[in-house]
Amino acid sequence: SQQGGAYRFAVLRCNPDGSLDNGFGNGGTVVTSLGGDNDLAQGILRQPTGELVAAGYTVSGGVNTAALVRYTPDGRLDNFGTNGIVRTSLAATNSAFNAVVLQPDGKLVAAGYAGPTGSGQAALARYTAIDTPWGLSPDPFSFSRLVNADQNAVETSNVVTISGLENGLAVPVIVSGGA
């Protein structure tokens, strides 16, 4: 998005029918200045808890610096990095992120380049999650005790309903060592 002659990170969220979601940012859009001459978002990720992470770069004095920006589900800058923004040179003169993905453990991986414009090397950066792996902790739960279970047979536990999670979020439950 162009703002005052400069490009800025622009994120919008739409409803299922394609209209802008008024519950996000200002009428469905958020424009963020990263403080550079130009700021360009090139990839976006929606975390399971609703936060959006935009990946791109900021240009200042002709030098590109890779950047991530994380927004709350309603479009405010999150507590990720400094005021929702992470900038990193990736140890090179120029750097940029083109995409961001979420690992199963909740860590973010950003992909892009580092090095001189036009001849840079592929680069990856991984960021530790600032939340619990899926952004939420379930309410305490336990499995019902199996009575008269055969010690030499594989048994299936009783069904457990896990509450305290965002609607529609599925979290795997792993039983280790039979306990």
Side-chain angles (χ1 to χ4, degrees):
S1 168
Q2 223 173 0
Q3 186 180 53
Y7 290 97
R8 300 293 173 227
F9 268 44
V11 178
L12 60 96
R13 188 170 70 193
C14 297
N15 295 311
D17 67 1
S19 63
L20 289 174
D21 180 352
N22 288 324
F24 181 78
N26 183 11
T29 64
V30 175
V31 177
T32 305
S33 172
L34 305 186
D37 302 327
N38 286 298
D39 309 312
L40 294 121
Q42 302 192 118
I44 194 158
L45 162 80
R46 182 183 181 277
Q47 293 185 276
T49 51
E51 289 87 357
L52 297 173
V53 180
Y57 61 98
T58 181
V59 182
S60 188
V63 175
N64 298 350
T65 302
L68 294 177
V69 178
R70 189 165 104 156
Y71 301 93
T72 62
D74 63 0
R76 292 174 289 119
L77 289 172
D78 200 346
N79 60 349
F80 180 70
T82 303
N83 299 321
I85 301 168
V86 172
R87 296 173 193 83
T88 181
S89 66
L90 299 174
T93 306
N94 282 297
S95 60
F97 289 137
N98 302 101
V100 61
V101 297
L102 184 69
Q103 292 184 168
D105 64 0
K107 293 180 179 135
L108 298 169
V109 177
Y113 73 85
T117 303
S119 62
Q121 303 277 327
L124 294 174
R126 183 169 64 181
Y127 295 89
T128 303
I130 60 170
D131 304 317
T132 57
W134 294 103
L136 300 167
S137 295
D139 294 337
F141 66 92
S142 62
F143 293 96
S144 300
R145 196 170 181 87
L146 290 175
V147 180
N148 297 324
D150 183 351
Q151 292 182 352
N152 297 319
V154 175
E155 298 285 344
T156 302
S157 69
N158 296 317
V159 175
V160 174
T161 301
I162 301 172
S163 60
L165 302 174
E166 182 180 346
N167 291 339
L169 182 63
V171 177
V173 176
I174 299 170
V175 177
S176 177

